[in-house]
């Protein structure tokens, strides 16, 4: 993992409802009418070890249920785990622009976006070579689609100021073994549809799709004319036929075995 490079693509928002130091991963300050700032995200680039085994609660789960032999080993190494840490201001503004203390934010929406490079999967790379000759593959009709886009928007509830908040999403081992390694990880936070601070992104250095550098694709000009991180996952499919969106794969940690470990540190997902 030390061969990976991390490219921080976050910008500092002017002003702030509260002052905080920036993290080594490039957190931004909250704007006056905003209540949340992302402190950091982890999972891609640098020394991030995104592959981790699920916690075991009992030794019996190391063996097949109702059998005596162990599970057969394969190339599935573990779950891919991605986390965001963010902070909430103590003071906010109401609809009339009046400053008021914050007791709790009833709902916070976090959008996670991941772009995977299937060429990094030995299994997929082998099938891709065969599929190019056969004009496709069972379960994979277009061997040109070598980049997989995973997105998920999750609503969290009862978000209070005064402490660090954490949320995380995971890619299951079976999916990770097929779709390769993550190239890009981005997080966007909204309250009542209003984006809080900047989108934060981690990226493998020099990452590109179809020869196009992702660093160029992912930026747009804000109202002030300055470049900022865009919601690239909403438009990248239209920029390259090599990218395909795959639904139903990215999961909040509460829907994985990780819910049993350190649950008190993570935000609660809103019940449907």
């Amino acid at each position: 993992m030390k061969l990976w490079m991390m490219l921080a693509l976050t910008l500092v928002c002017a002003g702030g409802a509260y002052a905080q130091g920036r993290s080594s991963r490039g957190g931004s300050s909250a704007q006056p009418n905003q209540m949340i700032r992302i402190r950091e995200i982890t999972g891609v680039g640098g020394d991030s070890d995104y592959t981790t085994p699920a916690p075991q609660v009992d030794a019996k789960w190391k063996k097949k249920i109702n059998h005596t032999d162990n599970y057969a080993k394969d190339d599935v190494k573990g779950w891919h785990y991605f986390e965001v840490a963010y902070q909430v201001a103590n003071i906010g503004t109401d609809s009339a622009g009046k400053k008021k203390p914050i007791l709790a934010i009833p709902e916070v929406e976090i959008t996670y976006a991941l772009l995977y490079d299937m060429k990094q999967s030995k299994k997929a790379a082998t099938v891709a070579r065969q599929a190019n000759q056969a004009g496709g593959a069972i379960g994979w009709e277009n061997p040109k689609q070598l980049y997989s886009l995973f997105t998920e928007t999750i609503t969290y509830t009862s978000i209070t100021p005064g402490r660090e908040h954490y949320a995380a999403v995971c890619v299951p081992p079976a999916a990770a073994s097929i779709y390769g390694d993550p190239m890009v990880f981005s997080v966007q936070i909204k309250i009542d549809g209003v984006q809080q601070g900047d989108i934060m992104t981690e990226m493998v250095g020099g990452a590109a799709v179809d020869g196009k550098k992702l660093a160029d694709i992912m930026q747009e000009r804000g109202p002030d004319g300055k470049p900022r991180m865009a919601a690239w996952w909403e438009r990248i499919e239209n920029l390259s036929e090599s990218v395909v969106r795959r639904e139903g794969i990215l999961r909040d940690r509460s829907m994985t075995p990780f819910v049993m470990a350190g649950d008190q540190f993570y935000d609660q997902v809103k019940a449907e």
Side-chain angles (χ1 to χ4, degrees):
M1 296 302 299
K2 292 184 180 299
L3 295 178
W4 287 44
M5 297 176 62
M6 190 269 284
L7 175 63
L9 295 173
T10 54
L11 304 173
V12 179
C13 293
Y18 59 163
Q20 293 286 352
R22 297 183 63 193
S23 75
S24 60
R25 292 182 180 265
S28 59
S29 301
Q31 296 176 354
N33 62 340
Q34 297 182 330
M35 295 175 280
I36 288 177
R37 67 182 285 269
I38 300 174
R39 189 178 65 78
E40 69 172 353
I41 63 175
T42 56
V44 174
D47 293 327
S48 297
D49 187 5
Y50 54 81
T51 302
T52 183
Q56 299 288 344
V57 295
D58 196 302
K60 74 177 183 180
W61 293 108
K62 296 179 181 179
K63 295 186 176 182
K64 290 183 177 179
I65 306 303
N66 298 326
H67 294 273
T68 57
D69 55 327
N70 291 331
Y71 284 102
K73 293 183 178 180
D74 56 23
D75 60 351
V76 178
K77 295 181 179 180
W79 293 71
H80 287 184
Y81 193 92
F82 306 91
E83 187 175 76
V84 55
Y86 66 95
Q87 296 167 330
V88 181
N90 291 307
I91 302 294
T93 54
D94 60 16
S95 57
K98 184 178 180 180
K99 290 185 177 181
K100 291 184 177 180
I102 297 174
L103 173 62
I105 302 174
E107 294 184 7
V108 168
E109 283 188 352
I110 301 183
T111 295
Y112 306 90
L114 282 154
L115 187 65
Y116 268 58
D117 184 357
M118 190 179 283
K119 298 190 301 297
Q120 300 302 316
S121 166
K122 292 182 179 179
K123 180 184 295 184
T126 299
V127 175
R129 289 193 295 269
Q130 300 170 345
N132 283 326
Q133 298 175 352
I138 296 175
W140 184 20
E141 296 303 324
N142 186 353
K144 292 182 180 179
Q145 293 179 323
L146 297 173
Y147 303 94
S148 300
L149 175 63
F150 307 148
T151 62
E152 194 69 47
T153 298
I154 299 170
T155 301
Y156 300 90
T157 187
S158 303
I159 308 301
T160 58
R163 69 177 181 87
E164 189 98 314
H165 287 266
Y166 300 93
V169 288
C170 308
V171 173
S177 69
I178 296 173
Y179 300 119
D181 290 345
M183 301 170 63
V184 184
F185 173 42
S186 290
V187 174
Q188 179 188 53
I189 296 182
K190 291 183 178 181
I191 298 175
D192 295 330
V194 178
Q195 181 175 307
Q196 303 292 300
D198 293 316
I199 296 170
M200 183 173 279
T201 293
E202 283 187 334
M203 180 187 301
V204 176
V209 171
D210 290 346
K212 301 175 182 177
K213 290 185 178 181
L214 292 176
D216 298 331
I217 296 175
M218 294 179 173
Q219 289 194 12
E220 65 181 3
R221 293 199 175 275
D224 57 0
K226 296 180 179 180
R228 67 177 184 180
M229 179 59 57
W232 56 269
W233 54 92
E234 296 176 355
R235 59 180 184 172
I236 194 169
E237 290 174 286
N238 298 324
L239 297 175
S240 173
E241 66 175 357
S242 299
V243 179
V244 59
R245 184 185 295 268
R246 304 189 187 277
E247 305 289 349
I249 292 177
L250 202 57
R251 305 179 188 178
D252 183 81
R253 66 175 298 280
S254 63
M255 302 297 293
T256 74
F258 293 100
V259 70
M260 298 180 292
D263 187 51
Q264 69 272 26
F265 301 112
Y266 291 84
D267 291 336
Q268 178 180 344
V269 176
K270 181 183 178 182
E272 297 293 336

